[in-house]
Amino acid sequence: MSNHLSKFLKSASLLSVLVIALAGCGNKPAPTPAPNANAGNKPAETTAASGSLEQIKKAGKIRVGLMGTYAPYNFLNDKHEVDGFDADVAKAVAKRLGVQVEFITGEFSGLIEGLQKDKYDALVSQVTITDDRKKTMDFSTPYVKNAVNVIVKSDNTTIQKLEDFKGKKIGVGLGTNDEKYLRDTAMPKVGSFEIATYNDVITSLKDLNVGRIDATINNVFAIKPLVEKNQFKIKAVGDPIKEDFAGIALRKNNPELLDAINKALAEMKTDGTFKEIFQKWFGVDPNF
């Protein structure tokens, strides 16, 4: 390039040189933007999929969605910290993934939508494993089995079983598997009854206690601390109407994260961590 330019300098007038110089400046490529400055020197880095195990480890935390109003499974303690069985399970899993937990609370009816919209990396909030839900999300292996009972006022004598719901007003959590059970299974079986939906358990129990609803269905483990704290005059009747399993819910097509969580849960059951957490919150050994 320098020899070529020297020949021009010897044979061309000053004006020609200026024209050439100006033309050279006009054709000089603009500086490459900083993000792509090294694009020609090394392969572009692949961005980790949102909520993937790689991204979670890079961030150093896993975002866990839960209600925060469902003691003893998940609730806010006196220090306004997320606490409970689900919270302890989430913390133990995160520890085995090598990350911290960021808890994000919300009404159950919005948790699944929030998971799909990347508000959470996982849900650890008693999300029942069902075939319908498996169509839109993936689940870990079950970490708890829940038995659901009919709950009525202590002085009630008219509702003793599911078949007694006909013509009555029954409360249930909005968007829960229990709501779906009442609509799709119980009502066709026993006849028409009114369903009142709630965003939290405590409100449904308050309404039951004062007679605004005739009954509700729920896990006895879940309502026990609320009943004791608020001195509700309510009781469980009959045998469990159904049993189901809860798992950690994830967005679909995230196999590495799912495998890592399943491995963590298996380790917890093997080394006694899971038994310790279960006994801490329920006073008994794990029920499956």
Side-chain angles (χ1 to χ4, degrees), residues 70 72-74 85-86 89 124-129 139-147 219 221-222 243-248 265 268-269 274 277-279 281-282 284-288:
Y70 197 43
Y73 292 99
N74 55 82
F85 173 74
D86 289 338
V89 169
V124 190
S125 192
Q126 296 303 298
V127 184
T128 302
I129 302 171
F139 284 94
S140 71
T141 54
Y143 68 92
V144 66
K145 179 176 76 172
N146 292 316
N219 180 342
F221 279 155
E243 292 182 335
D244 47 41
F245 294 87
I248 296 175
L265 289 173
M268 289 162 59
K269 291 177 181 179
F274 185 77
I277 293 172
F278 203 92
Q279 289 179 332
W281 291 106
F282 306 125
V284 295
D285 287 344
N287 54 8
F288 78 102

Side-chain angles (χ1 to χ4, degrees), residues 147-254:
V148 177
N149 280 79
V150 174
I151 313 296
V152 298
K153 290 187 67 174
S154 296
D155 60 0
N156 171 80
T157 59
T158 59
I159 299 177
Q160 299 296 317
K161 56 188 182 299
L162 193 65
E163 287 73 14
D164 297 328
F165 281 7
K166 185 175 181 179
K168 300 297 193 299
K169 186 175 183 179
I170 311 301
V172 70
L174 178 64
T176 63
N177 188 56
D178 288 347
E179 180 190 3
K180 180 176 175 59
Y181 174 80
L182 287 182
R183 296 188 187 280
D184 297 351
T185 303
M187 194 174 292
K189 178 181 178 182
V190 308
S192 181
F193 54 85
E194 182 180 353
I195 295 177
T197 57
Y198 295 87
N199 283 320
D200 56 66
V201 177
I202 184 66
T203 306
S204 67
L205 296 182
K206 286 179 178 178
D207 277 6
L208 177 61
N209 190 60
V210 298
R212 293 192 186 97
I213 56 177
D214 298 302
T216 185
I217 64 172
N218 216 312
N219 180 342
V220 177
F221 279 155
I223 68 170
K224 183 179 178 181
L226 293 175
V227 172
E228 293 174 348
K229 181 178 180 179
N230 295 278
Q231 298 185 328
F232 292 141
K233 304 301 182 182
I234 60 178
K235 63 183 179 182
V237 293
D239 295 326
I241 59 174
K242 68 185 183 80
E243 292 182 335
D244 47 41
F245 294 87
I248 296 175
L250 309 172
R251 281 186 296 282
K252 291 191 75 67
N253 302 318
N254 207 340

Side-chain angles (χ1 to χ4, degrees), residues 41-42 53 107:
N41 299 327
K42 65 178 182 179
L53 180 61
E107 294 176 351

